[in-house]
Amino acid sequence: MDLKISNTFSREKEILRPIDPEHVRLYVCGPTVYDYAHIGNARPAVVFDVLVRVLRRLFPRVTYVSNITDIEDKIIDRAKESGESIVSLTNRTAQIYREDMAAIGVLPPDVEPRATHHVPQMIALMEVLIAKGHAYVAEGHVLFAVPSMPEYGQLSRRDRDEMIAGARVEVAPYKKDPADFVLWKPSDADTPGWDSPWGRGRPGWHIECSAMAAEHLGETFDIHGGGLDLVFPHHENEIAQSRCAFGTGFMARYWMHNGFVVVEGEKMSKSLGNFYTVHELLEEWPGEVIRLLLLSAHYRAPLDFTKAGLREAKAQLDRLYQALELAKDVPTVQPHLELRNQERAMVGIDHPQAYYVAEALCDDLNTPLAISRLHSLASRLNKTQKEDKPSLKRTLLQGAELLGLLQSTPDAWFRGELDNIKPIEIERLIAARANARKAKNFAEADRIRDALKAKGIELEDGPAGTTCKRS
RNA sequence: GGCCCCGUGGCAGAGUGGUUAUGCAGAGGACUGCAAAUCCUUGUACAUCGGUUCGAUUCCGGUCGGGGCCUCCA
């Protein structure tokens, strides 16, 4: 099965053809760590996590690199304000980021490089750029000379004159050309810095990704991803740095960008205070609910993240887990064991149902369609009484795994973390209610049911007896 | 000003040149002591105006409306 992805560079949907068909390499710009990750940071993490899950099914080997930016002026400012050391601040918030992403089902990247561990590589890169005439030194800064690269601006499709005309920031006097951007800037005594051929200083924003991508993936690789806002200038500048330093015709073959998250219909902004952190959302909602909501719109479209949306995502997961609960006695082979064998089988489909969900994802990660197919499978699983139950259940679980959903068990989903009442107490009340019902004492039966409901536990009488769920 | 995106039923949100998206919410029914869950049935949907076409929500153009980027930003 071919994987089609929208390539920002060509503005077209293209079939992914890796440089090395045996080994797909991708790089996604990760967070700058100085505070709790907000929901906007979570979207690319989740979207590209799904991409990697799909890639791992399609290709023998995948290397996924996603960085952590741990040197940046916002970090420096935050550390100064709070008095916390930069190392402590970045280690602490990076750890929270990892935990929060894990909670929403994001598998760790293969490599999670940190900018501060790659300063020598950045310096080496700049030395090459200077030697080749693509960068110059001015007043302790190293700047990239944009006019030295005629193709500059291809990704964002803007030419130099437009950029200069539209610039909202005053051009620094030491720039030879107004479009030039900073690779390295000097640090004063109480600002963190590293020794370099140009004095003590620190890297500009863009050079770190060029250095880290080259270090872990090579001079060219397959896919480069990130938020839509990174197209310009960040990715444009990465391309300039990497291509000019290595003398290559491209940096990455495919560029993928996710759309923005808006919150309750308004643009998320720190000044409005209308952003949700993943951390606070996790106090109220299961991670899968947050994940499902993030995947409920196509990744390139804007996503309105709302409390109503969270409620609906929860309802959808309840429905999917309910289907699994109803089919809990249906045997199925271990999806994980099955996956290995299917990696090769993706080409040449002889069993279309098995690829029902994968097929949707292979069309430019159409997660809303994939989710609708999960529902469709759940409906069929609920309905059928025939021998196709095991295969439907397996297809549902495998499809959900590609999306990183249904990773819990119905039991844990509906009955996990009932901390205000002991399971044995619930059992006792269910038994008492069963006796009351037998004696046609429905008033007592309903009293027990209502009492449990008040504690967040809902009882359901089925053919096989009474089951409970947390509400 | 330049570049780019979007406008689908109460809500969310796919997709397609002619045939049911899907889910949530709502209505009716089956089942149930009553519920819940599940199943069945149900709703004038495709901003607007032109054009192309046998036929357009789907292609083209205009209009209106909303949004993003233009060196802080996932």
Side-chain angles (χ1 to χ4, degrees):
Chain A
M1 197 183 296
D2 285 328
L3 171 63
K4 285 180 279 184
I5 52 180
S6 285
N7 187 354
T8 306
F9 197 88
S10 65
R11 308 285 155 98
E12 282 175 9
K13 212 192 269 189
E14 300 176 31
I15 294 171
L16 176 68
R17 304 209 186 281
I19 297 165
D20 175 359
E22 298 296 306
H23 184 191
V24 179
R25 293 164 290 156
L26 75 156
Y27 185 97
V28 173
C29 290
T32 300
V33 285
Y34 63 99
D35 207 341
Y36 287 104
H38 55 68
I39 196 65
N41 294 309
R43 171 125 97 146
V46 168
V47 163
F48 289 104
D49 178 63
V50 172
L51 174 66
V52 170
R53 286 167 186 261
V54 173
L55 289 172
R56 289 197 199 288
R57 277 239 206 146
L58 292 168
F59 296 96
R61 187 174 166 213
V62 176
T63 300
Y64 174 31
V65 179
S66 188
N67 68 292
I68 282 186
T69 295
D70 58 356
I71 181 66
E72 215 263 335
D73 286 0
K74 268 189 302 237
I75 298 172
I76 295 168
D77 293 345
R78 177 61 62 91
K80 268 182 190 155
E81 283 165 25
S82 67
E84 186 176 10
S85 77
I86 284 176
V87 170
S88 165
L89 172 67
T90 54
N91 281 342
R92 185 171 60 79
T93 49
Q95 188 51 33
I96 292 168
Y97 173 77
R98 287 190 201 98
E99 289 168 6
D100 287 348
M101 291 309 108
I104 57 174
V106 174
L107 303 170
D110 298 299
V111 187
E112 192 177 62
R114 295 176 66 140
T116 53
H117 298 171
H118 294 76
V119 174
Q121 289 92 330
M122 295 185 222
I123 289 172
L125 211 52
M126 287 184 272
E127 287 183 314
V128 172
L129 287 169
I130 292 170
K132 289 189 173 182
H134 289 296
Y136 59 94
V137 182
E139 297 180 26
H141 294 73
V142 180
L143 292 117
F144 187 90
V146 169
S148 75
M149 185 193 189
E151 304 100 310
Y152 184 86
Q154 278 181 331
L155 177 69
S156 55
R157 302 207 174 174
R158 54 189 86 208
D159 65 38
R160 216 187 110 271
D161 295 339
E162 285 167 3
M163 287 182 299
I164 294 161
R168 295 182 299 200
V169 176
E170 260 182 76
V171 176
Y174 46 80
K175 288 188 179 179
K176 284 186 187 168
D177 186 280
D180 293 350
F181 58 91
V182 171
L183 301 174
W184 185 264
K185 50 191 166 189
S187 292
D188 61 28
D190 48 40
T191 305
W194 288 259
D195 290 327
S196 81
W198 320 286
R200 189 170 166 283
R202 59 193 193 280
W205 173 34
H206 317 297
I207 193 72
E208 62 176 64
C209 286
S210 284
M212 289 188 282
E215 173 78 9
H216 299 286
L217 293 175
E219 296 179 354
T220 60
F221 50 96
D222 298 302
I223 303 170
H224 193 132
L228 196 57
D229 53 325
L230 298 183
V231 175
F232 188 89
H234 185 53
H235 288 163
E236 197 71 77
N237 291 352
E238 278 188 53
I239 290 171
Q241 293 158 354
S242 293
R243 282 192 54 195
C244 289
F246 304 129
T248 54
F250 65 96
M251 181 188 189
R253 277 259 200 259
Y254 306 88
W255 292 80
M256 295 176 72
H257 295 95
N258 64 274
F260 271 82
V261 177
V262 298
V263 170
E264 308 289 350
E266 284 187 21
K267 186 184 160 145
M268 200 167 68
S269 94
K270 304 235 158 164
S271 56
L272 283 170
N274 66 341
F275 60 95
Y276 295 135
T277 66
V278 177
H279 211 71
E280 69 187 333
L281 288 167
L282 282 168
E283 286 171 10
E284 211 179 332
W285 301 92
E288 280 196 354
V289 168
I290 298 166
R291 184 179 179 96
L292 178 60
L293 180 50
L294 287 172
L295 293 174
S296 67
H298 186 90
Y299 75 92
R300 278 181 295 118
L303 178 86
D304 193 3
F305 197 96
T306 64
K307 294 283 166 136
L310 284 164
R311 281 190 291 274
E312 183 179 334
K314 165 75 162 53
Q316 289 202 34
L317 282 166
D318 280 344
R319 176 180 145 78
L320 295 172
Y321 273 114
Q322 179 69 22
L324 291 179
E325 168 123 309
L326 293 171
K328 69 176 172 220
D329 296 326
V330 174
T332 177
V333 290
Q334 285 290 322
H336 290 277
L337 295 174
E338 191 82 345
L339 285 181
R340 295 288 139 230
N341 295 328
Q342 285 194 351
E343 284 174 352
R344 269 157 243 99
M346 294 293 286
V347 185
I349 307 164
D350 52 359
H351 191 11
Q353 183 190 273
Y355 306 106
Y356 193 44
V357 176
E359 182 189 53
L361 294 176
C362 281
D363 184 11
D364 198 26
L365 295 184
N366 193 336
T367 54
L369 185 61
I371 291 164
S372 80
R373 291 186 170 187
L374 252 29
H375 283 290
S376 164
L377 288 165
S379 286
R380 283 154 65 192
L381 183 58
N382 284 338
K383 266 183 275 196
T384 187
Q385 294 303 325
K386 291 186 290 209
E387 62 283 355
D388 57 345
K389 252 185 173 357
S391 88
L392 281 169
K393 182 177 177 182
R394 191 187 59 208
T395 305
L396 175 59
L397 286 170
Q398 289 183 347
E401 180 170 344
L402 277 178
L403 287 157
L405 296 172
L406 303 185
Q407 297 299 288
S408 187
T409 62
D411 204 48
W413 177 259
F414 289 120
R415 288 171 285 279
E417 295 172 41
L418 292 174
D419 44 8
N420 59 343
I421 183 165
K422 291 196 181 90
I424 191 154
E425 177 68 3
I426 299 172
E427 291 301 319
R428 194 186 66 73
L429 288 166
I430 287 175
R433 177 164 168 275
N435 284 332
R437 291 179 71 207
K438 214 179 215 171
K440 301 258 191 272
N441 185 356
F442 296 121
E444 173 64 6
D446 290 348
R447 189 194 63 75
I448 293 171
R449 186 167 64 192
D450 292 344
L452 279 171
K453 188 167 185 178
K455 295 191 175 189
I457 296 149
E458 291 181 6
L459 297 187
E460 298 178 0
D461 302 323
T466 300
T467 58
C468 67
K469 287 177 179 174
R470 85 184 148 192
S471 51

